[in-house]
């Protein structure tokens, strides 16, 4: 970086050169046109001959910066000299007094009329049309031109002054949401998409719109493309930039000086149109620059054809599973991870973008630093959950996961099926990526499960067990908020649910799903037609969803046979027999619960045919009865609570049916 002494000498050279040219002009003016103090001011500022000034300037680093700007903007000699004269009053206030004297007003900046007179006095053999030159659009890059066409005032833009007088290159880049990234900042090659550069070069369209899911690496690919071309990347955040300043000058100045690639960042929603002001702004920018890149989240092409511009849309798909794994490994390189292979296997359960992957690892690392610095599975899970941005809770209820496989009481066949359901998520990277099945399946990589069985047999509990095993969030869908009597409204609600589910990466649980997924009926009226359409739409969204969907129904016979064939798993939850009822009773009493020795689990399992849900409710009710009596939970309390449960089911039990325990009631 140049020293401050070098910049001070450069600024004095500018003042000296400006004073030299002014003196030459003043010396040719008639007597009486020049005040007594003006020559004195100029003589004081004049230190060296014009030849020495040019010689000193040409040798300095500052002069090279100045000439680079002039050459990049293709400035003619008269405009280059006008730039020097315009800078002089910012360095020495006496030069401003000189300009003010000849302007005969309060202004202390150079005007086009004065510049033209000074130039012709110094270079009489050449022609100049300063006033016309400064009316051109490219002059706006250097000057803030005010006043009438004949007497335009030339005030040098502040960022230009910062660059040419102090070497502060950040002046233009302090414009809100205008970022310039130099090529050397992007030596790291993207792991995913890498064909953007070739596509951009082949395209004849002046504007190439790259759209895709947020965080998929579109900006990274753009930066890498600029790096490959040894160009700076000029990023313009449109939403905030346009609100503050519609001026194209900062962007055009960067393009002229750096030769950088302009990349406009403009978010457009799926259900919104491109604003007309953006279309006009984009067209004007493209015409001025020639070739730009536009990055957005969804494909919404502006109507720029009427404005004389063609915009080409290019999709930027989400990362495939192998690429996601590469990003997890690359971003976690150097991190202290406990059982790294196991943690990365868990991370593969989330369909993340590179941005989310980096964010999850960063959050996990922050959490780990609060302890011993080693990232555990719990840290990584919390980091992954922190990257999920969705509004699924508006249509669904998040279920707190409390159960594990040890809490479930089911026959071996059902337990094995539930474990296989988990395998579909745990080993999906290995099967789809490593073993090549991802190339053979355009869709249907998600997992769809139907739980069927009587009420209280453990369907909801099993959904929680699966979510806990996989470390994923579980959302129970509120069917009342989904099903609508209005045509098309149910489909719209389902569309919103699955879109937010994609963002949540969670497990969807449709309880009593036969309301939506019942047998298709013969079409006798319009209601039958639209009911069948809703069921078909639900199946379609399930197949498109890459996560897990669980449907629970009390009546398996209500599920359409054609739909069963397209379901990944069908798990039947039988009513528990005597053996399983006893196991449920054992698990129904916590270890901390004070139990009396008269509890007869064999009798309870044999005598009362209760579902798992009824047994747990009875156990809790017995605990409250015992607490009210100030005693341990005894057989009397349990029997009382069982009778209450049976009454809720519409069944009354006579005292004689209780056998040896009839005297307790």
């Amino acid at each position: 970086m140049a020293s401050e002494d070098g910049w001070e000498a450069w600024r004095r050279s500018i003042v000296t050169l400006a004073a030299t040219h002014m003196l030459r002009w003043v010396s040719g003016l008639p007597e009486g046109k020049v005040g007594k103090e003006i020559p004195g001011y100029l003589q004081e500022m004049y230190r060296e001959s014009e030849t020495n000034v040019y010689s000193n300037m040409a040798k300095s680093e500052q002069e090279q910066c100045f000439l680079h700007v002039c050459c990049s903007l293709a400035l003619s000699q008269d405009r280059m000299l006008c730039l020097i004269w315009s800078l002089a009053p910012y360095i020495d206030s006496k030069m401003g007094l000189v300009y003010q004297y000849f302007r005969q007003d309060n202004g202390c900046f150079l005007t086009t009329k004065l510049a033209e007179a000074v130039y012709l006095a110094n270079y009489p053999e050449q022609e100049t049309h300063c006033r016309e030159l400064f009316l051109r659009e490219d002059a706006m890059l250097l000057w803030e031109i005010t006043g009438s066409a004949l007497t335009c005032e030339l005030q040098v833009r502040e960022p230009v002054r910062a660059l040419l007088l102090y070497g502060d290159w950040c002046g233009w880049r302090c414009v809100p949401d205008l970022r310039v990234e130099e090529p050397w900042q992007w030596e790291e090659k993207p792991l995913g998409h890498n064909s953007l550069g070739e596509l951009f070069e082949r395209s004849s369209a002046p504007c190439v719109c790259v759209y895709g899911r947020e965080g998929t690496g579109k900006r990274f690919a753009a930066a890498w493309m600029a790096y490959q071309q040894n160009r700076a990347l000029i990023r313009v955040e449109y939403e905030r930039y346009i609100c503050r300043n519609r001026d194209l000058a900062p962007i055009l100045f960067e393009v002229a000086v750096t030769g950088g690639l302009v990349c406009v960042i403009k978010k457009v929603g799926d259900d919104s149109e491109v604003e007309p002001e953006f279309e006009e702004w984009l067209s004007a920018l493209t015409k001025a620059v020639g070739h730009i890149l536009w990055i957005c989240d969804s494909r919404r092409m502006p109507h720029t054809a009427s404005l004389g511009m063609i915009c080409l849309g290019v999709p930027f798909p989400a990362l495939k599973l192998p690429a996601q794994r590469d990003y997890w490994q690359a971003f976690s390189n150097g991190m202290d991870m406990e059982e790294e292979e196991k943690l990365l296997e868990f991370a593969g359960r989330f369909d993340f973008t590179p941005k989310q992957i980096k964010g999850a690892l960063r959050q996990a690392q922050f959490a780990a630093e609060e302890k011993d610095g080693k990232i555990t599975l719990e840290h990584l899970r919390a980091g992954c959950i922190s990257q999920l941005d969705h509004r699924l809770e508006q249509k669904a209820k998040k279920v707190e996961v409390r159960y594990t496989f040890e809490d479930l009481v089911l026959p071996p066949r059902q337990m094995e099926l539930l474990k296989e359901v988990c395998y579909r998520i745990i080993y999906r990277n290995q099967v789809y990526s490593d073993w090549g099945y991802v190339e053979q399946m355009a869709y249907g990589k998600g997992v769809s499960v139907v739980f069927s069985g009587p009420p209280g047999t453990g369907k909801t509990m099993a959904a929680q067990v699966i979510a806990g095993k996989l470390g994923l969030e579980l959302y129970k869908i509120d069917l009342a908020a989904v099903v609508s009597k209005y045509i098309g409204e149910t489909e719209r609600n389902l569309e919103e649910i699955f879109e937010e589910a994609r963002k949540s990466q969670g497990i969807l649980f449709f309880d009593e799903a036969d309301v939506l997924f019942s047998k298709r009926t013969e079409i006798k009226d319009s209601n039958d037609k639209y009911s069948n359409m809703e069921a078909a739409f639900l199946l379609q969204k399930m197949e498109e969803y890459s996560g897990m969907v669980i449907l629970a129904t009390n009546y398996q016979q209500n599920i359409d046979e054609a739909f069963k064939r397209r379901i990944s798993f069908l798990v039947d939850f039988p009513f528990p027999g005597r053996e399983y009822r006893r196991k449920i009773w054992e698990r129904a009493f916590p270890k901390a619960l004070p139990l009396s020795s008269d509890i007869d689990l064999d009798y309870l399992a044999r005598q009362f045919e209760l579902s798992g849900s009824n047994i747990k409710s009875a156990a809790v009710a017995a605990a409250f009865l015992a607490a009210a009596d100030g005693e341990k939970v005894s057989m009397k309390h349990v029997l009382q609570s069982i009778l209450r449960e049976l009454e809720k089911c519409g069944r009354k039990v006579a005292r004689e049916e209780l056998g040896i325990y009839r005297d307790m009631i």
Side-chain angles (χ1 to χ4, degrees):
M1 184 175 179
S3 66
E4 180 55 35
D5 291 342
W7 283 107
E8 177 61 28
W10 161 248
R11 291 191 289 271
R12 291 309 315 167
S13 297
I14 289 178
V15 174
T16 301
L17 184 58
T20 301
H21 290 158
M22 288 298 296
L23 272 172
R24 190 169 296 168
W25 174 61
V26 168
S27 63
L29 293 178
E31 293 185 11
K33 288 284 187 180
V34 183
K36 294 181 180 180
E37 69 276 12
I38 297 303
Y41 287 157
L42 295 174
Q43 288 290 349
E44 184 180 343
M45 289 183 281
Y46 177 71
R47 303 297 182 191
E48 304 175 51
S49 68
E50 183 178 345
T51 303
N52 289 335
V53 170
Y54 277 128
S55 176
N56 291 339
M57 291 171 68
K59 292 179 181 179
S60 69
E61 179 182 335
Q62 292 78 10
E63 166 68 359
Q64 299 303 315
C65 175
F66 177 80
L67 292 177
H68 174 69
V69 172
C70 294
C71 292
S72 298
L73 299 176
L75 296 185
S76 58
Q77 177 179 296
D78 47 4
R79 286 211 290 176
M80 184 170 64
L81 288 172
C82 284
L83 180 57
I84 292 177
W85 301 337
S86 302
L87 289 169
Y90 295 100
I91 304 170
D92 195 321
S93 61
K94 290 182 179 178
M95 184 60 77
L97 295 175
V98 172
Y99 292 161
Q100 187 179 44
Y101 175 84
F102 288 109
R103 290 179 54 169
Q104 297 182 346
D105 57 23
N106 293 326
C108 59
F109 296 103
L110 186 70
T111 64
T112 53
K113 182 179 180 180
L114 183 58
E116 189 174 70
V118 175
Y119 184 80
L120 291 174
N122 283 270
Y123 302 95
E125 72 284 356
Q126 299 187 26
E127 295 184 1
T128 184
H129 303 283
C130 286
R131 277 173 279 188
E132 290 78 5
L133 287 172
F134 287 110
L135 295 178
R136 286 167 38 182
E137 288 186 3
D138 54 356
M140 307 296 178
L141 300 179
L142 299 175
W143 291 279
E144 294 178 2
I145 302 175
T146 60
S148 65
L150 294 177
T151 58
C152 294
E153 185 177 72
L154 303 176
Q155 296 187 35
V156 184
R157 288 180 176 269
E158 183 179 357
V160 178
R161 301 199 311 266
L163 172 62
L164 298 182
L165 298 183
Y166 302 96
D168 182 7
W169 185 236
C170 298
W172 283 103
R173 297 170 186 183
C174 290
V175 176
D177 296 287
L178 176 63
R179 301 288 182 266
V180 180
E181 296 160 354
E182 301 295 346
W184 55 265
Q185 294 178 267
W186 292 95
E187 295 181 358
E188 183 181 356
K189 183 178 179 180
L191 300 175
H193 314 278
N194 192 25
S195 58
L196 188 58
E198 296 179 2
L199 184 149
F200 192 76
E201 291 179 354
R202 291 198 311 268
S203 172
S204 59
C207 176
V208 175
C209 173
V210 180
Y211 60 92
R213 179 180 169 188
E214 182 180 0
T216 50
K218 301 184 293 295
R219 302 186 192 193
F220 197 97
W224 174 251
M225 178 182 72
Y227 168 75
Q228 288 180 307
Q229 299 174 3
N230 196 29
R231 302 171 66 186
L233 183 70
I234 304 169
R235 286 173 36 183
V236 184
E237 296 281 354
Y238 173 83
E239 275 80 3
R240 299 167 67 181
Y241 178 86
I242 196 68
C243 293
R244 295 180 173 89
N245 184 11
R246 296 192 63 164
D247 190 3
L248 295 179
I251 304 172
L252 301 182
F253 185 84
E254 288 288 357
V255 173
V257 175
T258 67
L261 168 66
V262 178
C263 178
V264 177
I265 314 296
K266 163 68 173 172
K267 294 183 179 180
V268 180
D270 292 328
D271 54 354
S272 61
E273 296 295 333
V274 180
E275 303 92 335
E277 58 266 23
F278 173 62
E279 296 176 353
E280 296 175 3
W281 183 86
L282 189 68
S283 179
L285 176 63
T286 305
K287 289 177 181 177
V289 175
H291 211 179
I292 69 171
L293 187 68
W294 170 30
I295 290 178
C296 65
D297 295 339
S298 62
R299 182 176 185 175
R300 289 289 180 182
M301 294 296 98
H303 304 290
T304 51
S306 60
L307 301 173
M309 187 190 80
I310 300 175
C311 188
L312 173 67
V314 178
F316 204 79
L319 293 176
K320 295 183 179 180
L321 292 177
Q324 288 185 37
R325 184 173 55 188
D326 292 342
Y327 272 101
W328 279 108
Q329 292 175 341
F331 289 153
S332 64
N333 187 28
M335 293 185 178
D336 188 6
M337 304 182 74
E338 184 180 273
E339 298 183 79
E340 180 177 354
E341 187 173 341
K342 182 179 179 180
L343 264 62
L344 293 180
E345 176 270 318
F346 166 78
R349 301 173 192 177
F350 293 87
D351 184 16
F352 273 179
T353 64
K355 180 180 179 181
Q356 289 174 308
I357 292 172
K358 182 176 289 187
L361 287 169
R362 187 183 296 116
Q363 290 293 331
Q365 193 171 34
F366 287 159
E369 288 174 355
E370 296 179 358
K371 295 185 178 180
D372 59 356
K374 189 181 290 281
I375 298 176
T376 65
L377 181 61
E378 189 57 35
H379 293 146
L380 186 58
R381 181 184 181 276
C384 290
I385 298 299
S386 71
Q387 299 304 301
L388 303 175
D389 182 16
H390 60 89
R391 297 176 298 172
L392 188 56
E393 293 187 16
Q394 294 181 1
K395 297 285 185 181
K397 179 182 178 181
K398 183 178 178 181
V399 180
E400 292 297 328
V401 176
R402 301 180 182 276
Y403 301 112
T404 65
F405 271 100
E406 287 70 26
D407 299 312
L408 269 180
V409 178
L410 288 172
R413 173 58 180 163
Q414 279 71 18
M415 293 291 285
E416 188 63 31
L417 280 174
L418 293 179
K419 291 179 181 179
E420 289 183 22
V421 170
C422 296
Y423 297 158
R424 288 293 181 97
I425 299 296
I426 295 174
Y427 300 111
R428 71 170 188 169
N429 276 340
Q430 180 177 347
V431 173
Y432 289 134
S433 301
D434 298 345
W435 293 353
Y437 273 100
V438 69
E439 303 299 333
Q440 298 184 14
M441 302 180 68
Y443 62 91
K445 294 188 285 291
V447 184
S448 54
V449 188
V450 171
F451 289 166
S452 64
T457 51
K459 299 185 291 296
T460 302
M461 184 180 183
Q464 294 187 48
V465 168
I466 291 175
K469 176 66 175 178
L470 299 177
L472 302 176
E473 293 182 316
L474 177 66
Y475 287 91
K476 185 176 180 180
I477 307 302
D478 181 8
L479 290 176
V482 175
V483 179
S484 174
K485 64 180 180 179
Y486 298 104
I487 296 173
E489 189 70 13
T490 301
E491 288 88 336
R492 187 181 69 82
N493 290 333
L494 288 171
E495 179 73 37
E496 292 179 3
I497 287 173
F498 278 95
E499 175 59 26
E500 295 304 319
R502 181 187 64 79
K503 300 175 186 176
S504 76
Q505 311 278 308
I507 298 175
L508 294 182
F509 179 59
F510 289 86
D511 199 8
E512 300 182 11
D514 43 341
V515 175
L516 285 173
F517 217 44
S518 57
K519 287 185 177 181
R520 285 177 285 189
T521 60
E522 180 183 352
I523 298 177
K524 298 180 180 179
D525 55 31
S526 59
N527 290 334
D528 295 334
K529 173 184 176 182
Y530 290 112
S531 177
N532 291 342
M533 288 175 59
E534 291 170 358
F537 185 81
L538 174 60
L539 183 62
Q540 174 190 336
K541 302 311 293 184
M542 289 173 55
E543 291 179 331
E544 293 174 356
Y545 183 50
S546 60
M548 181 181 293
V549 179
I550 300 176
L551 307 171
T553 176
N554 297 334
Y555 308 101
Q556 184 183 141
Q557 62 271 20
N558 286 352
I559 302 296
D560 189 280
E561 291 297 327
F563 289 165
K564 288 182 181 179
R565 292 194 298 270
R566 298 164 71 178
I567 295 294
S568 305
F569 292 93
L570 182 60
V571 184
D572 181 45
F573 286 72
F575 195 89
R578 175 179 173 181
E579 176 187 355
Y580 291 104
R581 288 199 296 271
R582 191 186 194 287
K583 292 180 180 179
I584 295 173
W585 274 112
E586 290 175 353
R587 290 165 170 78
F589 300 120
K591 293 181 179 179
L593 183 71
L595 281 178
S596 174
S597 59
D598 66 343
I599 300 293
D600 188 348
L601 296 181
D602 290 327
Y603 171 82
L604 295 175
R606 179 182 70 253
Q607 188 68 20
F608 303 103
E609 294 184 359
L610 297 173
S611 67
S613 176
N614 292 139
I615 292 174
K616 289 183 179 179
S617 296
V620 173
F624 277 101
L625 292 173
D629 293 341
E631 303 174 355
K632 293 182 179 181
V633 176
S634 65
M635 194 67 174
K636 176 186 67 173
H637 300 126
V638 175
L639 290 174
Q640 288 177 350
S641 63
I642 289 176
L643 295 181
R644 301 289 189 276
E645 284 296 313
L646 292 174
E647 287 177 2
K648 289 192 298 184
C649 299
R651 179 187 170 193
K652 291 188 177 182
V653 179
R655 292 179 69 253
E656 290 72 17
E657 295 182 53
L658 300 180
I660 61 174
Y661 296 105
R662 62 180 178 273
D663 294 333
M664 290 186 175
I665 302 302

